[in-house]
Amino acid sequence: MDGWTVEVEFPTGASTSAQSNQPAERIPCEAKLPDSTGSRDYSCPPNTAANKVYVKGSANPSKLAEIVIGGNAWDKFPCEKGYYNPGTGKHSESGQDCQVCNDGERNHERGKTTCTPCDNSSKNIFYTVKFDHKTEPGCQVCLNYQVANGDKNGCMDCPAGKEFETAGCSAENPTTPTQLLTCSTVVCRSCPGGKFREGLTADETCTDCLVNQYSSVGAPVCKGCEKHKHSSAGSETCTDCLGQTYQDMIANEDMKENDKKLPVDEFNKCLMDTGEACVTTSDTISAYGTYDLGHAQLGEEKAFNCEFDCTNPDPAVVCDLKAVFTCVELEGGKLGFTPFYNCSKTRVTNAYAELNKQGDKNKELSAAFKKLSEDSLNSNGLGDLEQAAEIIDSISDQAQDEVNDEVLSNLIGGVSNIVEGDLTTDNNQRSNVLNRVVESLTKVTSNTKDANSLATSTHIAVMKVTGGAKVSEGGGTTKFSLPKSELKGLSNLKVETSGEEPLLMVSAEDEGDLAKDVAVLIFQESNLFPNTDSTPDPDQMKDDFTLDTDDENKAKLVNSLVVEVSAVGDKDKPYKLGLYMKPLANVGGRNTSIKTFPDGRKAQLKNTCHSFNTHTETWVADCETVYDKNEGDSKVLCICQHNTSFAVLMSPYPIDPGFIKSQTLMSTIILSLSMICLSLTIVCLASAAPIRKQRSTKINICFSFSLLLASFLFLLQNALVKSDDSGAIKPGSAGCIVYAAIQHYLWLVVFLWMVVEGILMYLSLVQVFGSHISKYMLKFNLLCWGVPIIFPIIGYFAFTKTVTIGDYSVVKSDFLAESMCFLKPGGIPFWVFFFLPLMLALLLNVVFFILVLRVIKQSKSATATESELLLRQIKAAVGVMALLGTGWLIGVFMTIPEPSTQITLQYIFILLNSSQGICVFLFYVVLNEQVTNHWLTTFGLKTKVASSSSTATTAATAPAKDKGATTAAATPDTENVYENAAAASDKDTDDHTYDTAFPAKSEENGNI
């Protein structure tokens, strides 16, 4: 039946769950091999329902004799394997048809009315999920330490707190289905109390809880015993400790017999729970020995003989060298031991000593020394450093054997290895040992025959520089520089610079005519010096810094190489050293180096040159530091007057104590009001023609104008100059220098006009007779505007210099302040060219004030009561004090170091001197009867009357022939309580009009 295809179809009706084909879907039937008669069977897929058959021939089919269709009626056909029908076990055209067995069930026979469920009652390992599983004689078996899940449609690990357990198996550890089927029991069993299982892996078993832990049945994790409780390993509960204080625990434990004492771990836990004990569970190991500390009460010390120093076996010999461990509260509140090693020797110290006794040549001895230091890298200590100094001195003193680069490299390599060890001992010889090592290295460097050649190691580099070398200059000064490329042997050299840019330049100046040889030692991250244990991180230092830290304890980090420079053969003679130091980390310019705290206080990271004090092992800021704080990547120049080790230290310094903002606001408000008052004073006095002709008025106008200009520039600085370099004028710039000089000049002008005010007040109220000064305004203006101009010029040029070391120069000025455009507080220019003129002006004005005060006190009034007169005299005295600038005297006392006193005086100083312009307006205009009368009359608010001064002028200018005449005009309308009574009737000039600046209280107005 070749060439024929057969397809079947179920064209109508709904399909059943047991039916494999859909309605109207043609299903091809597979052709089988023909039999002997030539017949060919076509087999349709199982569970195919059809009531129509399609037979189709190809282009040349074989002849078709007959077609026989075989099959069962649908309701007669039994359900296949894996299916069931509750009613008949057969297919049905209507109602429920054959159904697939549920998960966890199986059916391996046809025509079944039910499926057989997997039996997990004793062996919880059977499941079915796929259709093929449901046609098998048995359920599938879980493997790999897994059990069937609750729905029996898959496998799972035993949950946390339970473990996989088998019993009655043919194999000890059954892993195959056959082996598992022989078991009588396969289940997940809960962990017993005292054990736990986290359930991280399928084969994980229940594990005993650790000491001082416990668990209940089925626990996934163990819990720690509560405070003052303990337990042994695998415990289900915890037991109360013997006491809740350190003393109770010790006392109760001592009472027990040895076999009944608590195990160490449980006892230690109870001790720690007291909050009074430090406990160690293992030996403390250091370069100076191994020590079993055990436990101690808070504050208790445990002392041990230094293991390698105290080696005399005789117990009667007392060893003073101790390793002391103190129980203290550590950071975070935990208790722990802090060591105090008063030890020197380590386990290899004797080996170094024996090495020096062998008498080898320099080359062999130095190589053996370096090799030993490398082999004992983690065991070196202070005693080994002392032996290193002995070895170096021995090599230096070998007159018959030379020191060359190879020997020198071996020696500094060995010392570098030793300083990586533990040098934290508090042995009282520590400073001597450290100092001696540096001296020994200096000595051996001075003795090397290979001059002008740099020898480097991990932490140390040395070089002998000769005065006649090409890196030197004559005239008593030896100069040389080192680029980074030559210092590459130093470890962790993280200076951000190109290979040929100088990292270090040294200028060693001698008093003689010829440049001397010098020995240069360079240290990097060396434990020989403090504050070199980590690479400086400016950002981290700013984050960690608090203003509550005192200067002694604030963070300091060496931010450069440590350099030792000594004159060869003349090391005790003072040298003037100039060091060019490239910082390891850039502190940044003003805009990045300043930290502002939430309360408004500020601190700035700065580089400062220090020398090392070998006796106290501290850095001392006794060198002059020169660098450009406006430049983010500025090099640092150090000028030192002595020989020792030098370095640049990075540290934060407070620049704003927090009240500067409030003081600035206070100054701005009061000064703004003063400027308005000064402007009004100038307008009121200059616009009043009858008044401006008077000498006092002209001087008052000049004084007010100079004070107005000085105040304006002072206020303007707040807007133009910012400490963080964000203003229009940068601190330290040329514009800032000019601005500071102008401010300096104007304040000196103000001081001189204050002196002129004092002189005029003295002439008007005290001397009176013979006080005429010809061309006084010309002379006063030349004095006040001319003399001060030389002070800023001298101050800047005399105290500004260019510091040059090698090819690098920095302009250093003691004239200009660091963060503002004014004189540098505390500098010589400040004291000589600002403070001293101020003091002289104040001294003169204080004298004038006392003299004027006497006149005020002696003044009388026919109409005023005693109390009114006293009040007016007090007011007048206060006015005179303000006008003469005696409030500046507060500035003298602001040098008092006590902080709270300084702050109080600062606020008083600001209040008195910022308000000087207001006082000028009050006493020159508002309380001046002559000025107020003029303007009231001008505006028609008052009838014109003769003033006391004009009356006096009329009387003084009467014709000579009328000398004996007396008129009503000779008596003023008001009494002048500040007038000198002895000379009042003899005034002969209208220039002396200071009496009108302080008029007496009249019946017509309320002026003082």
Side-chain angles (χ1 to χ4, degrees):
M1 195 175 166
D2 295 331
W4 297 91
T5 60
V6 177
E7 294 178 338
V8 297
E9 181 184 14
F10 177 60
T12 61
S15 62
T16 65
S17 61
Q19 186 177 323
S20 63
N21 59 319
Q22 300 298 320
E25 178 186 8
R26 289 192 179 189
I27 303 298
C29 298
E30 182 182 0
K32 303 295 184 181
L33 293 175
D35 58 15
S36 57
T37 62
S39 298
R40 184 187 297 273
D41 290 338
Y42 286 82
S43 177
C44 299
N47 298 337
T48 301
N51 54 13
K52 185 179 287 188
V53 179
Y54 298 91
V55 180
K56 183 178 180 182
S58 61
N60 297 304
S62 60
K63 301 240 183 234
L64 186 59
E66 63 175 338
I67 297 175
V68 180
I69 300 174
N72 294 327
W74 190 251
D75 59 350
K76 303 294 185 181
F77 191 73
C79 296
E80 292 292 333
K81 297 177 181 179
Y83 289 89
Y84 75 99
N85 193 330
T88 61
K90 298 180 180 181
H91 289 284
S92 174
E93 289 187 358
S94 61
Q96 183 173 335
D97 198 12
C98 295
Q99 305 291 319
V100 178
C101 291
N102 296 321
D103 291 348
E105 297 179 341
R106 62 177 181 79
N107 187 1
H108 67 286
E109 295 179 349
R110 300 174 63 192
K112 291 296 185 178
T113 58
T114 60
C115 294
T116 304
C118 298
D119 184 10
N120 286 339
S121 58
S122 59
K123 293 191 283 282
N124 186 24
I125 54 175
F126 301 115
Y127 73 98
T128 61
V129 61
K130 297 181 180 179
F131 180 76
D132 291 346
H133 297 167
K134 299 173 184 179
T135 62
E136 298 292 330
C139 293
Q140 300 296 304
V141 177
C142 292
L143 302 175
N144 301 321
Y145 304 98
Q146 290 190 320
V147 294
N149 59 23
D151 295 331
K152 303 179 185 178
N153 61 356
C155 301
M156 67 175 188
D157 294 342
C158 287
K162 294 185 178 183
E163 65 178 345
F164 185 81
E165 183 181 83
T166 60
C169 306
S170 60
E172 182 177 353
N173 186 23
T175 56
T176 66
T178 302
Q179 293 173 338
L180 287 168
L181 289 174
T182 64
C183 298
S184 60
T185 303
V186 181
V187 294
C188 286
R189 186 78 66 191
S190 295
C191 295
K195 293 180 179 289
F196 74 100
R197 179 178 177 273
E198 295 181 276
L200 302 178
T201 61
D203 60 346
E204 180 186 353
T205 60
C206 294
T207 306
D208 283 344
C209 293
L210 300 177
V211 175
N212 296 320
Q213 293 183 341
Y214 73 99
S215 69
S216 56
V217 176
V221 294
C222 295
K223 298 179 181 178
C225 287
E226 293 82 0
K227 192 174 183 179
H228 303 304
K229 290 180 179 289
H230 67 92
S231 68
S232 57
S235 296
E236 190 171 358
T237 59
C238 295
T239 306
D240 290 338
C241 293
L242 298 175
Q244 296 189 5
T245 66
Y246 182 86
Q247 295 296 338
D248 288 345
M249 282 297 305
I250 298 299
N252 292 328
E253 187 69 7
D254 289 344
M255 294 174 62
K256 290 185 177 182
E257 298 179 2
N258 289 335
D259 58 343
K260 294 183 179 179
K261 291 183 180 294
L262 283 179
V264 174
D265 290 341
E266 297 177 51
F267 180 69
N268 286 342
K269 194 266 183 188
C270 289
L271 284 179
M272 286 189 289
D273 284 348
T274 64
E276 304 171 359
C278 297
V279 177
T280 59
T281 57
S282 60
D283 290 343
T284 298
I285 302 174
S286 74
Y288 303 103
T290 301
Y291 305 98
D292 181 12
L293 305 185
H295 56 79
Q297 191 173 10
L298 180 63
E300 181 182 352
E301 293 182 350
K302 303 198 77 173
F304 303 86
N305 287 339
C306 292
E307 183 176 348
F308 304 111
D309 292 284
C310 305
T311 55
N312 194 320
D314 185 358
V317 177
V318 178
C319 182
D320 294 329
L321 299 180
K322 302 289 183 180
V324 181
F325 302 86
T326 307
C327 178
V328 298
E329 184 174 349
L330 304 176
E331 187 176 354
K334 293 185 177 181
L335 302 185
F337 287 102
T338 56
F340 179 93
Y341 295 107
N342 186 21
C343 307
S344 177
K345 292 183 178 180
T346 70
R347 65 175 181 83
V348 293
T349 303
N350 290 335
Y352 284 110
E354 291 298 322
L355 194 67
N356 198 26
K357 295 177 182 178
Q358 295 177 8
D360 292 336
K361 293 291 186 180
N362 286 351
K363 180 178 179 181
E364 289 75 16
L365 177 58
S366 65
F369 166 65
K370 182 179 180 182
K371 179 68 167 55
L372 179 58
S373 69
E374 290 172 345
D375 294 341
S376 56
L377 196 59
N378 297 321
S379 303
N380 290 311
L382 184 67
D384 308 321
L385 200 60
E386 185 175 16
Q387 290 301 318
E390 293 282 355
I391 293 173
I392 296 172
D393 288 343
S394 175
I395 290 176
S396 297
D397 295 337
Q398 283 283 356
Q400 300 175 350
D401 197 0
E402 64 182 16
V403 177
N404 56 26
D405 272 353
E406 182 180 358
V407 173
L408 201 56
S409 296
N410 286 336
L411 292 178
I412 64 175
V415 175
S416 285
N417 293 330
I418 293 176
V419 298
E420 287 188 6
D422 185 0
L423 302 182
T424 57
T425 175
D426 292 285
N427 188 279
N428 54 13
Q429 295 299 315
R430 172 187 159 88
S431 61
N432 294 334
V433 171
L434 299 182
N435 188 38
R436 185 185 172 190
V437 169
V438 175
E439 290 180 348
S440 298
L441 289 173
T442 301
K443 180 179 178 182
V444 76
T445 302
S446 301
N447 292 341
T448 181
K449 73 178 188 66
D450 296 326
N452 305 313
S453 176
L454 185 71
T456 62
S457 64
T458 307
H459 299 288
I460 306 172
V462 299
M463 182 171 68
K464 177 183 178 182
V465 182
T466 60
K470 64 179 181 179
V471 292
S472 302
E473 298 180 2
T477 301
T478 301
K479 298 181 180 180
F480 69 94
S481 63
L482 291 175
K484 183 178 180 180
S485 57
E486 293 190 28
L487 287 166
K488 59 185 178 182
L490 293 174
S491 68
N492 301 319
L493 194 57
K494 299 178 180 178
V495 185
E496 298 176 3
T497 180
S498 62
E500 297 306 316
E501 181 183 349
L503 193 63
L504 170 69
M505 290 189 285
V506 178
S507 171
E509 183 178 345
D510 189 19
E511 296 176 354
D513 296 330
L514 298 177
K516 297 275 186 80
D517 296 351
V518 294
V520 181
L521 278 63
I522 301 169
F523 303 90
Q524 163 74 15
E525 291 190 350
S526 166
N527 289 334
L528 292 171
F529 303 95
N531 310 113
T532 61
D533 51 350
S534 62
T535 302
D537 184 347
D539 293 333
Q540 187 64 45
M541 181 171 282
K542 283 198 298 184
D543 291 341
D544 296 341
F545 178 64
T546 61
L547 287 172
D548 298 327
T549 307
D550 56 31
D551 288 342
E552 183 177 349
N553 296 317
K554 72 178 179 181
K556 300 183 186 73
L557 282 178
V558 171
N559 194 26
S560 71
L561 302 171
V562 178
V563 181
E564 170 92 12
V565 181
S566 298
V568 174
D570 198 11
K571 66 178 182 179
D572 294 329
K573 186 175 182 179
Y575 249 50
K576 181 179 180 181
L577 296 177
L579 305 174
Y580 164 104
M581 312 282 265
K582 181 70 171 70
L584 302 178
N586 296 327
V587 298
R590 295 182 191 275
N591 58 335
T592 57
S593 62
I594 294 177
K595 175 181 179 180
T596 302
F597 294 86
D599 60 1
R601 295 184 294 175
K602 294 181 180 179
Q604 182 178 15
L605 284 183
K606 295 182 182 179
N607 287 320
T608 310
C609 297
H610 288 67
S611 66
F612 185 66
N613 187 317
T614 56
H615 300 292
T616 61
E617 294 187 61
T618 58
W619 293 104
V620 182
D622 58 354
C623 294
E624 183 180 359
T625 304
V626 184
Y627 76 101
D628 189 351
K629 297 179 178 61
N630 291 320
E631 183 181 342
D633 187 19
S634 177
K635 289 77 177 175
V636 179
L637 303 186
C638 301
I639 311 299
C640 306
Q641 302 294 334
H642 53 87
N643 298 343
T644 183
S645 300
F646 303 97
V648 175
L649 267 66
M650 179 180 69
S651 186
Y653 293 84
I655 61 173
D656 185 343
F659 48 78
I660 289 182
K661 186 175 181 181
S662 62
Q663 290 183 348
T664 302
L665 180 61
M666 181 179 175
S667 299
T668 302
I669 294 173
I670 300 176
L671 266 182
S672 298
L673 293 174
S674 288
M675 288 172 57
I676 295 172
C677 291
L678 288 170
S679 301
L680 291 175
T681 300
I682 295 171
V683 170
C684 291
L685 295 181
S687 300
I691 302 174
R692 68 167 177 262
K693 297 178 181 179
Q694 300 169 6
R695 180 170 63 182
S696 61
T697 303
K698 295 175 183 179
I699 292 174
N700 293 342
I701 292 173
C702 291
F703 170 59
S704 300
F705 180 70
S706 63
L707 185 57
L708 176 63
L709 283 180
S711 301
F712 175 72
L713 282 186
F714 185 85
L715 274 185
L716 189 62
Q717 180 175 221
N718 293 333
L720 297 180
V721 184
K722 303 292 183 183
S723 61
D724 60 359
D725 213 15
S726 61
I729 299 179
K730 310 296 182 185
S733 65
C736 188
I737 295 171
V738 173
Y739 198 95
I742 294 174
Q743 281 205 90
H744 181 199
Y745 167 71
L746 286 177
W747 282 113
L748 293 179
V749 170
V750 171
F751 298 157
L752 280 178
W753 279 118
M754 286 194 305
V755 173
V756 171
E757 289 277 9
I759 294 172
L760 186 60
M761 194 173 292
Y762 170 77
L763 295 176
S764 299
L765 301 180
V766 180
Q767 180 172 331
V768 182
F769 301 113
S771 59
H772 178 74
I773 302 175
S774 63
K775 298 181 181 180
Y776 62 90
M777 285 309 299
L778 176 61
K779 294 177 180 178
F780 285 153
N781 275 283
L782 287 175
L783 171 69
C784 295
W785 295 99
V787 173
I789 200 169
I790 64 173
F791 286 82
I793 297 174
I794 296 175
Y796 176 74
F797 287 102
F799 294 92
T800 299
K801 61 182 179 179
T802 299
V803 181
T804 301
I805 296 178
D807 300 327
Y808 188 74
S809 299
V810 176
V811 176
K812 180 182 183 297
S813 176
D814 287 329
F815 176 78
L816 193 64
E818 291 184 358
S819 58
M820 61 180 178
C821 296
F822 198 68
L823 276 73
K824 183 178 182 179
I828 295 178
F830 176 84
W831 294 113
V832 174
F833 298 111
F834 184 81
F835 192 77
L836 181 59
L838 171 61
M839 289 299 100
L840 292 176
L842 291 180
L843 183 61
L844 286 173
N845 277 1
V846 167
V847 174
F848 294 142
F849 174 69
I850 294 173
L851 295 175
V852 171
L853 199 62
R854 291 177 59 190
V855 173
I856 293 173
K857 184 177 180 182
Q858 294 170 1
S859 62
K860 302 296 181 181
S861 173
T863 58
T865 64
E866 185 113 2
S867 59
E868 287 177 326
L869 181 61
L870 178 62
L871 179 61
R872 277 186 268 157
Q873 289 173 344
I874 292 174
K875 288 181 180 180
V878 173
V880 172
M881 183 178 69
L883 294 178
L884 295 182
T886 49
W888 285 87
L889 283 171
I890 299 296
V892 178
F893 301 103
M894 283 166 53
T895 57
I896 296 174
E898 207 282 316
S900 59
T901 304
Q902 269 197 2
I903 296 171
T904 303
L905 291 175
Q906 286 171 11
Y907 280 104
I908 296 174
F909 180 82
I910 292 171
L911 179 63
L912 291 179
N913 293 291
S914 297
S915 60
Q916 191 172 8
I918 300 174
C919 294
V920 168
F921 178 68
L922 288 175
F923 289 99
Y924 286 178
V925 178
V926 177
L927 302 179
N928 190 318
E929 182 180 345
Q930 188 178 10
V931 177
T932 53
N933 283 342
H934 170 79
W935 286 107
L936 289 174
T937 304
T938 300
F939 289 108
L941 300 177
K942 187 174 182 179
T943 303
K944 186 174 182 180
V945 295
S947 67
S948 58
S949 62
S950 62
T951 304
T953 302
T954 302
T957 58
K961 64 180 180 180
D962 221 8
K963 288 182 180 179
T966 305
T967 65
T971 303
D973 292 337
T974 59
E975 290 183 89
N976 186 1
V977 296
Y978 317 107
E979 184 177 49
N980 190 324
S985 62
D986 294 312
K987 291 185 179 178
D988 59 356
T989 174
D990 64 351
D991 282 345
H992 296 168
T993 55
Y994 240 99
D995 52 337
T996 61
F998 302 95
K1001 180 177 178 62
S1002 69
E1003 302 298 331
E1004 297 180 356
N1005 52 68
N1007 296 332
I1008 64 171

